[in-house]
């Protein structure tokens, strides 16, 4: 299908950038399955490694027309990221089709990306950030709503879309606990142009995730997700069993006032690598298929949802 930005995808899915999890295989297989594949630049240890990863992706997708070979890089646009300038230069040099910025919406980054014909999306969790990003001139907004994996917001996605539509006419991406083809249909029905999906893709064979992480996703439900700022300093959703596994009692952590709870981590325990993030979308995850199998399933679920609506 033809989506916003003139892309040709099998479904309007952007596989969300995930620290550690989004390796080269996940990105390439997502694109081969007809989705947009993305990764955070910081998954590569240096800007040189980022350049090499971009070359690998481009080569792997060289047989596809540009409108069906859409991949993207997530840049943390914040002064705490010393790699921002160099990584942006690498992205511009490679003419990466999609850039996703988080934390800061910077007009100069938007202009640099649009200057070579790329698209830029910015992820936001509330109206104020959405307004700032719209002013910065980004092409579209990712509305990271309640229940999302990683750093998540607390807004209901339907309310969030309605609010942003009052002042922003460009493409919108719905994010947060979208796991099935029916969820994608719901996002489109609510007025989104794309579904942004992270957690669902951790439980695929191509994800750079330990087997125990995949198994925990399959075994977990919404009760196992704790929303806390204690792990990374910013409120996000984490798998409570992974905290317990690292000797941390998740009981007292479900709070978001910054620095309210300091985690005493064992020196061998690392955030994200050992304390695993996932959103409430775990509720719908019951297996770890290959990307290709999952893509087929999402398509049939999406079509079944459309069918259900068409007979109303
Ligand atoms: C393990 C994990 C790591 C993540 N890392 C990043 C990241 O490095 N940069 C980013 O912009 N978002 C990151 N996210 C958030 C996702 O890009 C996306 O917003 C989220 O996964 C969407 O919600 P869902 O997981 O419910 O589908 C991460 C999410 C997860 C689950």
């Amino acid at each position: 299908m033809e989506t916003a930005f003139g892309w040709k995808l099998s479904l309007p899915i952007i596989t969300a950038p995930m620290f550690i999890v989004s390796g080269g295989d996940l990105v390439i297989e997502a694109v081969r399955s007809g989705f947009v594949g993305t990764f955070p630049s910081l998954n590569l240890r240096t800007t040189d490694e980022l350049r090499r990863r971009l070359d690998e992706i481009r080569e792997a997708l060289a047989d596809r027309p540009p409108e069906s070979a859409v991949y993207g890089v997530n840049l943390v646009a914040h002064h705490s990221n010393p790699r921002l300038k160099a990584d942006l230069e690498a992205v511009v040099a490679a003419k990466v089709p999609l850039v996703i910025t988080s934390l800061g919406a910077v007009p100069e980054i938007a202009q640099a990306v649009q200057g070579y014909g790329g698209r830029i999306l910015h992820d936001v969790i509330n109206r104020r950030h959405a307004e700032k990003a719209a002013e910065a001139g980004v092409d579209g907004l990712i509305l990271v709503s309640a229940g999302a994996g990683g750093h998540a917001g607390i807004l209901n996605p339907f309310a969030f879309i309605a609010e942003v539509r009052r002042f922003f006419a460009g493409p919108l991406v719905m994010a947060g606990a979208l796991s099935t083809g029916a969820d994608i249909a719901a996002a489109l029905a609510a007025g989104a142009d794309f579904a942004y999906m992270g957690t669902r893709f951790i439980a695929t064979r191509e994800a750079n995730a330990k087997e125990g992480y995949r198994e925990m996703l399959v075994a977990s439900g919404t009760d196992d997700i704790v929303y806390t700022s204690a792990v990374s300093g910013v409120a996000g959703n984490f798998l409570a069993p992974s905290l317990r596994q690292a000797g941390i009692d998740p009981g007292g952590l479900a709070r978001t006032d910054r620095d309210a709870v300091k985690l005493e981590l064992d020196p061998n325990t690392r955030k994200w690598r050992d304390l695993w993030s996932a959103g409430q979308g775990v509720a719908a995850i019951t297996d770890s298929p290959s990307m290709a199998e999952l893509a087929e399933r999402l398509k049939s679920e999406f079509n079944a949802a459309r069918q259900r609506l068409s007979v109303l």
Side-chain angles (χ1 to χ4, degrees):
M1 61 173 75
E2 177 149 347
T3 68
F5 302 138
W7 296 338
K8 293 213 170 74
L9 305 176
S10 61
L11 284 174
I13 295 176
I14 299 176
T15 58
M18 290 181 282
F19 188 51
I20 305 176
V21 175
S22 304
D25 289 348
L26 190 71
V27 175
I28 290 165
E29 281 311 305
V31 177
R32 287 196 201 285
S33 296
F35 310 149
V36 175
T38 72
F39 65 100
S41 74
L42 296 177
N43 272 3
L44 288 308
R45 273 175 308 178
T46 63
T47 302
D48 271 342
E49 283 185 31
L50 171 64
R51 283 195 201 95
R52 282 197 288 279
R53 175 59 52 83
L54 291 172
D55 286 345
E56 280 162 24
I57 294 174
R58 228 188 0 234
E59 274 165 37
L61 302 175
D63 56 336
R64 302 176 66 86
E67 63 276 14
S68 299
V70 186
Y71 60 95
V73 173
N74 166 230
L75 297 174
V76 177
H78 191 256
H79 55 79
S80 62
N81 175 11
R83 292 240 317 257
L84 178 60
K85 189 166 174 281
D87 286 0
L88 176 64
E89 279 167 13
V91 159
V92 171
K95 295 191 164 64
V96 172
L98 172 65
V99 170
I100 296 169
T101 47
S102 30
L103 294 181
V106 183
E108 292 75 24
I109 299 182
Q111 286 153 17
V113 174
Q114 290 158 346
Y116 66 79
R119 303 293 188 169
I120 179 162
L121 298 172
H122 185 70
D123 70 7
V124 294
I125 58 164
N126 58 37
R127 176 182 179 136
R128 188 170 60 84
H129 291 166
E131 282 171 343
K132 279 183 159 182
E135 279 165 25
V138 299
D139 295 303
L141 296 172
I142 302 166
L143 309 184
V144 182
S145 307
H151 296 145
I154 52 168
L155 290 181
N156 175 287
F158 298 112
F160 201 3
I161 269 207
E163 184 152 68
V164 171
R165 267 290 171 247
R166 291 177 178 205
F167 59 86
F168 185 75
L172 292 180
V173 185
M174 188 188 278
L178 305 177
S179 292
T180 69
D183 299 342
I184 298 162
L188 298 189
D193 297 272
F194 296 97
Y196 202 58
M197 295 168 65
T199 297
R200 172 62 268 195
F201 292 110
I202 305 171
T204 59
R205 307 314 309 167
E206 289 84 355
N208 186 29
K210 291 184 189 144
E211 199 51 42
Y213 193 173
R214 295 196 186 94
E215 284 167 5
M216 199 179 282
L217 282 176
V218 169
S220 292
T222 52
D223 284 354
D224 297 303
I225 304 300
V226 55
Y227 185 61
T228 180
S229 61
V231 175
S232 76
V234 176
N237 282 309
F238 290 85
L239 281 161
S242 76
L243 301 178
R244 272 187 222 106
Q245 210 166 252
I248 300 162
D249 174 12
L253 297 185
R255 41 196 301 185
T256 56
D257 31 338
R258 207 183 160 97
D259 298 331
V261 191
K262 278 260 180 274
L263 280 187
E264 293 297 330
L265 291 186
D266 174 291
N268 298 321
T269 302
R270 297 233 192 101
K271 301 162 181 179
W272 304 100
R273 190 196 66 184
D274 305 306
L275 306 180
W276 295 328
S277 174
Q280 292 172 5
V282 289
I285 299 176
T286 55
D287 62 356
S288 293
S290 68
M291 177 65 82
E293 282 169 57
L294 180 60
E296 283 313 307
R297 187 190 309 165
L298 291 171
K299 274 181 248 170
S300 65
E301 289 168 349
F302 179 79
N303 288 331
R306 287 175 67 180
Q307 195 66 38
R308 280 199 298 279
L309 292 177
S310 72
V311 298
L312 290 181

